[in-house]
């Protein structure tokens, strides 16, 4: 049974332009894909929707595709919200290219997303918000996304919402955007 009416959406899309268009979800690090690492971070959440092509995963999930494709992360998130059998009260959102996010990260975000706010998101040491690592009020997201979201920046979707910033611990905010990022991550795992 879901705790606190919490679901999760993993965004696997994107063009990966700085990585020659590689499918980031399928990248292996330490013998596991980035998608399975994202699923590890969401271990406490029963209903997980993955926005991207259907692949074999270590646990059951629902897959959705944005239509039309290429609409960006907001379009992907809105497509993900359609994948729940019953709409959760809150949704954890995680980009697949954030492999240092753990279940403890998601628990901190969930604890900060209390009544009276629209959610909580991870923030790095310089104050940069990681919009694609947060726990948000589903009704607020749906209301903000009740327009043409194709190409909409995530910060625009969330700009009117009352959000709590949760400080990242260690390298949680580091994502894999370049081949150098991937090499550094693999070096951590001794590959």
């Amino acid at each position: 049974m879901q705790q606190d009416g919490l679901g999760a959406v993993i965004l696997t899309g994107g063009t990966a332009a700085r990585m020659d268009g590689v499918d980031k979800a399928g990248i292996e690090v330490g013998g596991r894909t980035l998608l399975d690492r994202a699923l590890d971070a969401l271990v406490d959440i029963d209903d997980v929707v993955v926005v991207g092509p259907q692949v074999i995963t270590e646990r059951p999930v629902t897959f959705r595709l944005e239509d039309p494709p290429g609409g960006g992360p907001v379009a992907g998130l809105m497509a993900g919200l359609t994948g729940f059998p019953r709409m959760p009260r809150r949704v954890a959102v995680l980009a697949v290219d954030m492999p240092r996010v753990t279940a403890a990260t998601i628990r901190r975000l969930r604890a900060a997303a209390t009544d009276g706010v629209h959610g909580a998101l991870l923030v790095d040491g310089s104050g940069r918000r990681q919009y694609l690592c947060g726990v948000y009020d589903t009704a607020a997201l749906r209301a903000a996304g009740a327009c043409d979201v194709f190409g909409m920046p995530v910060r625009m979707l969330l700009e009117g919402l009352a959000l709590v910033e949760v400080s990242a611990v260690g390298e949680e905010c580091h994502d894999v955007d370049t081949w150098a990022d991937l090499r550094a991550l693999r070096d951590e795992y001794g590959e």
Side-chain angles (χ1 to χ4, degrees):
M1 190 71 175
Q2 303 245 125
Q3 294 183 5
D4 307 320
L6 184 65
V9 172
I10 299 175
L11 298 170
T12 69
T15 60
R18 292 180 279 178
M19 294 182 73
D20 306 317
V22 68
D23 171 22
K24 288 185 186 180
I27 292 174
E28 286 195 16
V29 175
R32 302 193 57 244
T33 66
L34 292 185
L35 177 55
D36 282 322
R37 290 183 177 282
L39 287 168
D40 288 346
L42 302 168
V43 68
D44 297 334
I45 303 171
D46 293 334
D47 289 333
V48 178
V49 178
V50 176
V51 181
Q54 189 164 344
V55 296
I56 295 172
T57 57
E58 293 178 355
R59 66 180 267 203
V61 298
T62 300
F63 285 91
R64 284 289 182 267
L65 294 173
E66 57 186 282
D67 185 26
V74 174
L77 175 56
M78 293 300 118
L81 291 178
T82 69
F84 293 105
R86 200 168 115 204
M87 191 62 65
R89 184 169 158 258
R90 294 195 183 270
V91 63
V93 176
L94 182 60
V96 77
D97 65 353
M98 296 185 71
R100 294 173 182 98
V101 170
T102 66
T105 312
I106 301 301
R107 289 179 195 125
R108 289 192 340 265
L109 290 165
R110 184 172 65 196
T114 60
D115 290 336
V117 297
H118 295 120
L121 72 162
L122 201 62
V123 178
D124 71 14
S126 70
R128 186 174 139 246
R129 292 175 150 197
Q130 278 286 1
Y131 295 107
L132 298 182
C133 184
V135 172
Y136 303 106
D137 180 89
T138 308
L141 286 180
R142 293 177 73 191
C147 59
D148 181 9
V149 296
F150 192 89
M152 177 188 280
V154 181
R155 73 181 180 297
M156 184 181 294
L157 175 75
L158 302 176
E159 70 185 353
L161 304 184
L163 301 174
V164 174
E165 295 183 349
V166 174
S167 296
V169 173
E171 305 285 317
E172 288 174 324
C173 276
H174 289 238
D175 49 14
V176 179
D177 281 337
T178 66
W179 293 114
D181 295 336
L182 180 58
R183 280 191 298 276
L185 182 64
R186 286 183 168 156
D187 286 347
E188 284 179 34
Y189 286 89
E191 290 185 20

